Amino acid sequence: MTQQQPPGWYPDGQGNNRYWDGTQWTAHTQQSDIPQAMPVAAPLELAPEEQRGQAALAHGLGALGFVVPVFGWVAPLIIYLVAKPDQPFVKDQASESLNFQLTLVIAYVVSGIAVFFCVGLFMLIAVWVLNLALPLVGMTRANRGEWYRYPLTIRMVPKA
């Protein structure tokens, strides 16, 4: 390791979390809720605080999409494109936020069409609430360094 990492639980790449005591990996493991297909890394080696902030920004700026719904994807896209290869956490979380925002654009279009069938107004309200609430949850989790996955999301943009 190039920098001293704080002690804590980190994904081990096998679906578990392994404890890092600050100097070495221990034999202690716990079940992880991180999906197996997700790329995992050892403790963030390159400026973890900076990566956490950028990842939280990708989620938080996506939440601004509740004001102008079709533009919530712009900030996560910029962060996704600007993220460096040595910033896997930023790239992953920006991709997740971008995928969620693109899914919401589809949901807004479908809800807008459904307005003509008397159910669209309720759908629009539900999508609007999700557009506000879930990115704030993602922002909080990313700020803590947790890998966040949005529910009900079509994953169109790859992680890497």
Side-chain angles (χ1 to χ4, degrees):
M1 295 214 157
T2 58
Q3 292 179 327
Q4 184 68 22
Q5 298 299 318
W9 293 96
Y10 296 96
D12 69 358
Q14 299 173 356
N16 295 314
N17 287 327
R18 184 168 300 277
Y19 192 76
W20 173 259
D21 68 5
T23 57
Q24 65 182 356
W25 294 107
T26 67
H28 303 287
T29 62
Q30 66 182 13
Q31 186 63 31
S32 173
D33 60 352
I34 298 173
Q36 294 296 324
M38 186 188 77
V40 292
L44 299 174
E45 293 185 19
L46 298 172
E49 293 300 321
E50 178 182 316
Q51 287 193 36
R52 290 177 184 180
Q54 290 176 11
L57 192 62
H59 291 290
L61 291 176
L64 294 177
F66 84 97
V67 177
V68 181
V70 294
F71 294 118
W73 56 271
V74 174
L77 174 64
I78 292 170
I79 293 171
Y80 177 79
L81 293 174
V82 172
K84 298 176 181 122
D86 62 350
Q87 296 177 316
F89 186 67
V90 174
K91 193 81 157 178
D92 177 81
Q93 294 301 290
S95 167
E96 191 66 22
S97 179
L98 178 58
N99 282 324
F100 180 68
Q101 292 300 323
L102 292 174
T103 301
L104 286 178
V105 168
I106 295 169
Y108 277 118
V109 169
V110 169
S111 299
I113 293 169
V115 165
F116 298 108
F117 301 106
C118 300
V119 294
L121 183 60
F122 298 111
M123 291 171 61
L124 279 171
I125 292 170
V127 172
W128 185 79
V129 169
L130 289 175
N131 196 6
L132 177 61
L134 292 180
L136 294 178
V137 172
M139 180 177 68
T140 303
R141 295 235 180 127
N143 197 38
R144 289 188 293 203
E146 297 176 20
W147 299 77
Y148 181 67
R149 294 288 164 261
Y150 286 95
L152 308 170
T153 300
I154 302 168
R155 291 182 170 79
M156 300 170 266
V157 178
K159 301 288 181 201

